[in-house]
Amino acid sequence: MQRAEYKTTDIWGLNIRYVEAGDGPVVLLIHGLADSLLSWYCNIDALAYAGYRVIAPDLPGSGESDKPGHLDYDPVSAAEFIYDFSQELGLKKFSLVGSSAGGLMSGLFALENPDMVEKMVLVCSGGF
């Protein structure tokens, strides 16, 4: 199993931090508002040990990712970010787990890109 590792990538000209661990089918963890990838701290290793490749980004404006003042911090922009992030990492099909507002973002992404979503879990999701 690949150990959890912090990484960065450039999306929309922003420095985006994420953590990646494990090998196998991809699970993308999406946190809620006023949160960060640290909300998944207890889940990342467990999912990786269960045989998944786990990826959890700090969404723009959150955690250690850039926080520009000009960005629209709305669910539709976040769903577009998920798409662009997945393309940057070369993800074709994956499962989404969204917590709180991250559930709304995940749902909006799934509605626009159903062929990319293997499974989806909404945890205390808002917006539906």
Side-chain angles (χ1 to χ4, degrees), residues 14 17-18 24 27 33 36 47 51 58 60 66 74-75 80 83 88 93 99 102 108 114-115 118 121:
L14 306 175
R17 183 179 80 152
Y18 65 101
V27 176
L33 296 177
S36 73
L47 287 166
D58 273 335
D66 285 347
D74 61 73
E80 292 169 358
Y83 178 83
E88 177 67 22
K93 193 164 188 122
S99 173
L108 292 172
D115 55 319
E118 181 72 32
V121 176

PDB file of all heavy atoms in Angstrom, residues 14 17-18 24 27 33 36 47 51 58 60 66 74-75 80 83 88 93 99 102 108 114-115 118 121:
ATOM      1  N   LEU A  14      -4.048  28.198  -9.277  1.00  0.00           N
ATOM      2  CA  LEU A  14      -4.001  28.144  -7.817  1.00  0.00           C
ATOM      3  C   LEU A  14      -3.179  26.948  -7.368  1.00  0.00           C
ATOM      4  O   LEU A  14      -3.234  25.877  -7.977  1.00  0.00           O
ATOM      5  CB  LEU A  14      -5.412  28.014  -7.225  1.00  0.00           C
ATOM      6  CG  LEU A  14      -6.439  29.058  -7.639  1.00  0.00           C
ATOM      7  CD1 LEU A  14      -7.803  28.699  -7.068  1.00  0.00           C
ATOM      8  CD2 LEU A  14      -6.001  30.435  -7.173  1.00  0.00           C
ATOM      9  N   ARG A  17      -3.415  21.892  -2.504  1.00  0.00           N
ATOM     10  CA  ARG A  17      -2.811  20.806  -1.739  1.00  0.00           C
ATOM     11  C   ARG A  17      -3.814  19.656  -1.643  1.00  0.00           C
ATOM     12  O   ARG A  17      -5.025  19.875  -1.522  1.00  0.00           O
ATOM     13  CB  ARG A  17      -2.456  21.253  -0.324  1.00  0.00           C
ATOM     14  CG  ARG A  17      -1.757  20.127   0.457  1.00  0.00           C
ATOM     15  CD  ARG A  17      -1.387  20.563   1.831  1.00  0.00           C
ATOM     16  NE  ARG A  17      -2.550  20.492   2.703  1.00  0.00           N
ATOM     17  CZ  ARG A  17      -2.486  20.284   4.010  1.00  0.00           C
ATOM     18  NH1 ARG A  17      -1.329  20.151   4.606  1.00  0.00           N
ATOM     19  NH2 ARG A  17      -3.575  20.246   4.729  1.00  0.00           N
ATOM     20  N   TYR A  18      -3.281  18.440  -1.703  1.00  0.00           N
ATOM     21  CA  TYR A  18      -4.117  17.255  -1.525  1.00  0.00           C
ATOM     22  C   TYR A  18      -3.278  16.157  -0.904  1.00  0.00           C
ATOM     23  O   TYR A  18      -2.057  16.227  -0.856  1.00  0.00           O
ATOM     24  CB  TYR A  18      -4.760  16.816  -2.847  1.00  0.00           C
ATOM     25  CG  TYR A  18      -3.816  16.331  -3.920  1.00  0.00           C
ATOM     26  CD1 TYR A  18      -3.650  14.965  -4.151  1.00  0.00           C
ATOM     27  CD2 TYR A  18      -3.117  17.215  -4.735  1.00  0.00           C
ATOM     28  CE1 TYR A  18      -2.797  14.508  -5.160  1.00  0.00           C
ATOM     29  CE2 TYR A  18      -2.275  16.771  -5.736  1.00  0.00           C
ATOM     30  CZ  TYR A  18      -2.124  15.415  -5.944  1.00  0.00           C
ATOM     31  OH  TYR A  18      -1.288  14.963  -6.935  1.00  0.00           O
ATOM     32  N   GLY A  24      -5.541   1.056  -6.054  1.00  0.00           N
ATOM     33  CA  GLY A  24      -6.800   0.397  -6.355  1.00  0.00           C
ATOM     34  C   GLY A  24      -7.802   1.386  -6.923  1.00  0.00           C
ATOM     35  O   GLY A  24      -7.430   2.466  -7.401  1.00  0.00           O
ATOM     36  N   VAL A  27     -11.103   6.696  -4.773  1.00  0.00           N
ATOM     37  CA  VAL A  27     -12.135   7.335  -3.956  1.00  0.00           C
ATOM     38  C   VAL A  27     -11.681   8.769  -3.731  1.00  0.00           C
ATOM     39  O   VAL A  27     -10.597   9.010  -3.201  1.00  0.00           O
ATOM     40  CB  VAL A  27     -12.328   6.623  -2.601  1.00  0.00           C
ATOM     41  CG1 VAL A  27     -13.336   7.372  -1.737  1.00  0.00           C
ATOM     42  CG2 VAL A  27     -12.767   5.181  -2.808  1.00  0.00           C
ATOM     43  N   LEU A  33     -17.781  23.203   3.629  1.00  0.00           N
ATOM     44  CA  LEU A  33     -17.345  24.586   3.788  1.00  0.00           C
ATOM     45  C   LEU A  33     -16.653  24.774   5.131  1.00  0.00           C
ATOM     46  O   LEU A  33     -16.965  24.076   6.103  1.00  0.00           O
ATOM     47  CB  LEU A  33     -18.546  25.531   3.705  1.00  0.00           C
ATOM     48  CG  LEU A  33     -19.285  25.561   2.371  1.00  0.00           C
ATOM     49  CD1 LEU A  33     -20.489  26.480   2.456  1.00  0.00           C
ATOM     50  CD2 LEU A  33     -18.364  25.986   1.242  1.00  0.00           C
ATOM     51  N   SER A  36     -11.421  21.313   5.762  1.00  0.00           N
ATOM     52  CA  SER A  36     -10.251  20.999   4.947  1.00  0.00           C
ATOM     53  C   SER A  36     -10.152  19.490   4.800  1.00  0.00           C
ATOM     54  O   SER A  36     -10.961  18.737   5.363  1.00  0.00           O
ATOM     55  CB  SER A  36      -8.979  21.543   5.606  1.00  0.00           C
ATOM     56  OG  SER A  36      -8.627  20.764   6.731  1.00  0.00           O
ATOM     57  N   LEU A  47      -9.399   3.564   4.334  1.00  0.00           N
ATOM     58  CA  LEU A  47      -9.791   3.275   2.950  1.00  0.00           C
ATOM     59  C   LEU A  47      -8.612   2.749   2.140  1.00  0.00           C
ATOM     60  O   LEU A  47      -8.766   1.832   1.333  1.00  0.00           O
ATOM     61  CB  LEU A  47     -10.377   4.527   2.292  1.00  0.00           C
ATOM     62  CG  LEU A  47     -11.771   4.925   2.768  1.00  0.00           C
ATOM     63  CD1 LEU A  47     -12.109   6.343   2.320  1.00  0.00           C
ATOM     64  CD2 LEU A  47     -12.811   3.938   2.255  1.00  0.00           C
ATOM     65  N   GLY A  51      -7.905  -1.217   0.261  1.00  0.00           N
ATOM     66  CA  GLY A  51      -7.635  -1.482  -1.152  1.00  0.00           C
ATOM     67  C   GLY A  51      -8.025  -0.380  -2.113  1.00  0.00           C
ATOM     68  O   GLY A  51      -8.188  -0.634  -3.310  1.00  0.00           O
ATOM     69  N   ASP A  58      -7.667  19.816  -0.505  1.00  0.00           N
ATOM     70  CA  ASP A  58      -8.131  21.037   0.140  1.00  0.00           C
ATOM     71  C   ASP A  58      -8.735  21.857  -0.992  1.00  0.00           C
ATOM     72  O   ASP A  58      -8.012  22.282  -1.917  1.00  0.00           O
ATOM     73  CB  ASP A  58      -6.969  21.824   0.758  1.00  0.00           C
ATOM     74  CG  ASP A  58      -6.625  21.401   2.173  1.00  0.00           C
ATOM     75  OD1 ASP A  58      -7.508  20.869   2.866  1.00  0.00           O
ATOM     76  OD2 ASP A  58      -5.474  21.632   2.588  1.00  0.00           O
ATOM     77  N   PRO A  60     -10.210  24.974  -3.149  1.00  0.00           N
ATOM     78  CA  PRO A  60      -9.747  26.371  -3.170  1.00  0.00           C
ATOM     79  C   PRO A  60     -10.401  27.158  -2.031  1.00  0.00           C
ATOM     80  O   PRO A  60     -11.600  27.027  -1.776  1.00  0.00           O
ATOM     81  CB  PRO A  60     -10.232  26.885  -4.533  1.00  0.00           C
ATOM     82  CG  PRO A  60     -10.311  25.659  -5.375  1.00  0.00           C
ATOM     83  CD  PRO A  60     -10.762  24.566  -4.438  1.00  0.00           C
ATOM     84  N   ASP A  66      -4.579  27.655  -2.036  1.00  0.00           N
ATOM     85  CA  ASP A  66      -4.674  29.112  -2.188  1.00  0.00           C
ATOM     86  C   ASP A  66      -6.083  29.601  -1.891  1.00  0.00           C
ATOM     87  O   ASP A  66      -7.071  28.877  -2.106  1.00  0.00           O
ATOM     88  CB  ASP A  66      -4.271  29.523  -3.603  1.00  0.00           C
ATOM     89  CG  ASP A  66      -2.772  29.457  -3.836  1.00  0.00           C
ATOM     90  OD1 ASP A  66      -2.011  29.331  -2.849  1.00  0.00           O
ATOM     91  OD2 ASP A  66      -2.359  29.533  -5.016  1.00  0.00           O
ATOM     92  N   ASP A  74     -18.816  29.094  -4.655  1.00  0.00           N
ATOM     93  CA  ASP A  74     -20.178  28.562  -4.675  1.00  0.00           C
ATOM     94  C   ASP A  74     -20.141  27.098  -5.099  1.00  0.00           C
ATOM     95  O   ASP A  74     -19.140  26.626  -5.633  1.00  0.00           O
ATOM     96  CB  ASP A  74     -21.067  29.396  -5.608  1.00  0.00           C
ATOM     97  CG  ASP A  74     -20.569  29.380  -7.040  1.00  0.00           C
ATOM     98  OD1 ASP A  74     -20.723  28.335  -7.706  1.00  0.00           O
ATOM     99  OD2 ASP A  74     -20.015  30.396  -7.492  1.00  0.00           O
ATOM    100  N   PRO A  75     -21.230  26.357  -4.853  1.00  0.00           N
ATOM    101  CA  PRO A  75     -21.232  24.919  -5.165  1.00  0.00           C
ATOM    102  C   PRO A  75     -20.997  24.588  -6.638  1.00  0.00           C
ATOM    103  O   PRO A  75     -20.360  23.588  -6.955  1.00  0.00           O
ATOM    104  CB  PRO A  75     -22.617  24.451  -4.712  1.00  0.00           C
ATOM    105  CG  PRO A  75     -23.043  25.456  -3.698  1.00  0.00           C
ATOM    106  CD  PRO A  75     -22.446  26.758  -4.137  1.00  0.00           C
ATOM    107  N   GLU A  80     -17.178  22.362 -10.702  1.00  0.00           N
ATOM    108  CA  GLU A  80     -16.270  22.561 -11.838  1.00  0.00           C
ATOM    109  C   GLU A  80     -14.823  22.300 -11.411  1.00  0.00           C
ATOM    110  O   GLU A  80     -14.041  21.728 -12.172  1.00  0.00           O
ATOM    111  CB  GLU A  80     -16.423  23.969 -12.400  1.00  0.00           C
ATOM    112  CG  GLU A  80     -17.765  24.195 -13.071  1.00  0.00           C
ATOM    113  CD  GLU A  80     -18.048  25.649 -13.392  1.00  0.00           C
ATOM    114  OE1 GLU A  80     -17.224  26.538 -13.067  1.00  0.00           O
ATOM    115  OE2 GLU A  80     -19.118  25.906 -13.967  1.00  0.00           O
ATOM    116  N   TYR A  83     -14.130  18.598 -11.363  1.00  0.00           N
ATOM    117  CA  TYR A  83     -13.871  18.115 -12.722  1.00  0.00           C
ATOM    118  C   TYR A  83     -12.432  18.431 -13.145  1.00  0.00           C
ATOM    119  O   TYR A  83     -11.694  17.544 -13.583  1.00  0.00           O
ATOM    120  CB  TYR A  83     -14.867  18.713 -13.718  1.00  0.00           C
ATOM    121  CG  TYR A  83     -14.584  18.260 -15.130  1.00  0.00           C
ATOM    122  CD1 TYR A  83     -15.049  17.030 -15.581  1.00  0.00           C
ATOM    123  CD2 TYR A  83     -13.804  19.036 -15.987  1.00  0.00           C
ATOM    124  CE1 TYR A  83     -14.754  16.584 -16.861  1.00  0.00           C
ATOM    125  CE2 TYR A  83     -13.497  18.603 -17.266  1.00  0.00           C
ATOM    126  CZ  TYR A  83     -13.985  17.384 -17.697  1.00  0.00           C
ATOM    127  OH  TYR A  83     -13.677  16.939 -18.960  1.00  0.00           O
ATOM    128  N   GLU A  88      -6.731  16.896 -14.133  1.00  0.00           N
ATOM    129  CA  GLU A  88      -5.305  17.127 -13.874  1.00  0.00           C
ATOM    130  C   GLU A  88      -4.628  15.861 -13.359  1.00  0.00           C
ATOM    131  O   GLU A  88      -3.486  15.574 -13.695  1.00  0.00           O
ATOM    132  CB  GLU A  88      -5.135  18.268 -12.854  1.00  0.00           C
ATOM    133  CG  GLU A  88      -3.708  18.549 -12.460  1.00  0.00           C
ATOM    134  CD  GLU A  88      -2.850  19.118 -13.584  1.00  0.00           C
ATOM    135  OE1 GLU A  88      -3.394  19.694 -14.558  1.00  0.00           O
ATOM    136  OE2 GLU A  88      -1.618  18.983 -13.500  1.00  0.00           O
ATOM    137  N   LYS A  93     -12.700   7.537 -13.935  1.00  0.00           N
ATOM    138  CA  LYS A  93     -13.903   7.094 -13.227  1.00  0.00           C
ATOM    139  C   LYS A  93     -13.506   6.867 -11.779  1.00  0.00           C
ATOM    140  O   LYS A  93     -12.467   6.278 -11.499  1.00  0.00           O
ATOM    141  CB  LYS A  93     -14.451   5.814 -13.843  1.00  0.00           C
ATOM    142  CG  LYS A  93     -15.847   5.484 -13.367  1.00  0.00           C
ATOM    143  CD  LYS A  93     -16.490   4.450 -14.277  1.00  0.00           C
ATOM    144  CE  LYS A  93     -17.927   4.283 -13.901  1.00  0.00           C
ATOM    145  NZ  LYS A  93     -18.848   4.549 -14.965  1.00  0.00           N
ATOM    146  N   SER A  99     -18.934  15.352   2.217  1.00  0.00           N
ATOM    147  CA  SER A  99     -19.441  15.645   3.551  1.00  0.00           C
ATOM    148  C   SER A  99     -20.009  17.058   3.593  1.00  0.00           C
ATOM    149  O   SER A  99     -19.398  17.990   3.068  1.00  0.00           O
ATOM    150  CB  SER A  99     -18.297  15.521   4.566  1.00  0.00           C
ATOM    151  OG  SER A  99     -18.703  15.958   5.836  1.00  0.00           O
ATOM    152  N   GLY A 102     -19.807  19.537   0.873  1.00  0.00           N
ATOM    153  CA  GLY A 102     -19.088  18.694  -0.080  1.00  0.00           C
ATOM    154  C   GLY A 102     -20.004  17.679  -0.737  1.00  0.00           C
ATOM    155  O   GLY A 102     -19.756  17.235  -1.856  1.00  0.00           O
ATOM    156  N   LEU A 108     -23.692  17.812  -7.543  1.00  0.00           N
ATOM    157  CA  LEU A 108     -23.697  18.645  -8.749  1.00  0.00           C
ATOM    158  C   LEU A 108     -22.705  18.120  -9.779  1.00  0.00           C
ATOM    159  O   LEU A 108     -23.000  18.086 -10.973  1.00  0.00           O
ATOM    160  CB  LEU A 108     -23.379  20.097  -8.387  1.00  0.00           C
ATOM    161  CG  LEU A 108     -24.451  20.823  -7.578  1.00  0.00           C
ATOM    162  CD1 LEU A 108     -23.933  22.186  -7.118  1.00  0.00           C
ATOM    163  CD2 LEU A 108     -25.737  20.961  -8.370  1.00  0.00           C
ATOM    164  N   PRO A 114     -22.107  12.087 -15.080  1.00  0.00           N
ATOM    165  CA  PRO A 114     -22.503  10.787 -14.530  1.00  0.00           C
ATOM    166  C   PRO A 114     -21.629   9.625 -14.974  1.00  0.00           C
ATOM    167  O   PRO A 114     -21.461   8.658 -14.229  1.00  0.00           O
ATOM    168  CB  PRO A 114     -23.947  10.611 -15.027  1.00  0.00           C
ATOM    169  CG  PRO A 114     -24.051  11.504 -16.221  1.00  0.00           C
ATOM    170  CD  PRO A 114     -23.130  12.660 -15.950  1.00  0.00           C
ATOM    171  N   ASP A 115     -21.035   9.724 -16.153  1.00  0.00           N
ATOM    172  CA  ASP A 115     -20.181   8.649 -16.654  1.00  0.00           C
ATOM    173  C   ASP A 115     -18.853   8.548 -15.897  1.00  0.00           C
ATOM    174  O   ASP A 115     -18.156   7.538 -15.995  1.00  0.00           O
ATOM    175  CB  ASP A 115     -19.904   8.838 -18.148  1.00  0.00           C
ATOM    176  CG  ASP A 115     -19.308  10.207 -18.465  1.00  0.00           C
ATOM    177  OD1 ASP A 115     -19.761  11.209 -17.874  1.00  0.00           O
ATOM    178  OD2 ASP A 115     -18.390  10.268 -19.297  1.00  0.00           O
ATOM    179  N   GLU A 118     -18.392   6.332 -10.277  1.00  0.00           N
ATOM    180  CA  GLU A 118     -18.634   4.908 -10.024  1.00  0.00           C
ATOM    181  C   GLU A 118     -19.692   4.733  -8.944  1.00  0.00           C
ATOM    182  O   GLU A 118     -20.682   4.043  -9.125  1.00  0.00           O
ATOM    183  CB  GLU A 118     -17.314   4.247  -9.595  1.00  0.00           C
ATOM    184  CG  GLU A 118     -17.418   2.767  -9.322  1.00  0.00           C
ATOM    185  CD  GLU A 118     -17.600   1.947 -10.583  1.00  0.00           C
ATOM    186  OE1 GLU A 118     -17.083   2.346 -11.647  1.00  0.00           O
ATOM    187  OE2 GLU A 118     -18.272   0.914 -10.508  1.00  0.00           O
ATOM    188  N   VAL A 121     -21.210   8.637  -2.044  1.00  0.00           N
ATOM    189  CA  VAL A 121     -21.661   8.608  -0.654  1.00  0.00           C
ATOM    190  C   VAL A 121     -21.801  10.049  -0.204  1.00  0.00           C
ATOM    191  O   VAL A 121     -20.871  10.849  -0.350  1.00  0.00           O
ATOM    192  CB  VAL A 121     -20.663   7.880   0.268  1.00  0.00           C
ATOM    193  CG1 VAL A 121     -21.118   7.946   1.709  1.00  0.00           C
ATOM    194  CG2 VAL A 121     -20.461   6.437  -0.184  1.00  0.00           C
TER     195      VAL A 121
END
